[in-house]
C-alpha cells in the first residue's frame, strides 16, 4: 500500500505496551498496531466499525472483533480505514 510505505505518519496512543501508527496518503488511511510483549493483549478501539483488517502480511496476526483489538504476543494488526 502506498499509504503504508510513504504516507504521513501519526503515532496513536493506545494502552502501552502496544505501538500504534496511522499512515495517510491520497485519502487512504492505514493503521497498524504492534504488540511489543510476549503476552496476548486486548484493547478497545473506538472506531473499529470503520476499519477493515488487512491480511496476507506474513506476520503473527491479531484480530479486530466487536470493537476489540486482540493481539497475540509480538503480534500485529494492519487495517484500512473505510469511509
Amino acid at each position: 500500500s502506498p499509504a503504508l510505505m510513504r504516507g504521513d505518519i501519526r503515532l496513536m496512543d493506545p494502552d502501552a505496551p502496544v505501538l500504534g501508527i496511522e499512515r495517510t496518503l491520497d485519502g487512504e488511511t492505514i493503521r497498524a498496531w504492534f504488540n511489543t510483549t510476549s503476552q496476548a493483549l486486548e484493547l478497545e478501539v473506538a472506531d473499529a466499525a470503520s476499519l477493515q483488517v488487512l491480511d496476507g502480511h506474513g506476520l503473527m496476526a491479531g484480530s479486530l472483533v466487536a470493537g476489540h483489538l486482540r493481539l497475540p504476543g509480538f503480534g500485529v494488526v494492519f487495517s484500512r480505514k473505510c469511509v
Side-chain angles (χ1 to χ4, degrees):
S1 164
L4 184 58
M5 300 293 291
R6 300 187 314 271
D8 293 335
I9 191 166
R10 178 180 74 86
L11 293 176
M12 295 184 293
D13 191 27
D15 296 332
V18 174
L19 171 64
I21 63 168
E22 180 177 270
R23 299 205 71 171
T24 303
L25 180 70
D26 296 331
E28 180 183 35
T29 299
I30 301 292
R31 287 188 183 168
W33 292 271
F34 301 89
N35 181 353
T36 61
T37 74
S38 61
Q39 302 299 314
L41 298 171
E42 185 170 324
L43 304 170
E44 188 172 341
V45 177
D47 61 347
S50 69
L51 300 174
Q52 172 192 6
V53 173
L54 303 175
D55 296 320
H57 46 71
L59 302 172
M60 179 72 72
S63 61
L64 189 57
V65 178
H68 288 88
L69 179 68
R70 296 182 180 136
L71 290 164
F74 303 114
V76 62
V77 169
F78 290 95
S79 68
R80 176 176 289 118
K81 190 165 185 175
C82 304
V83 264

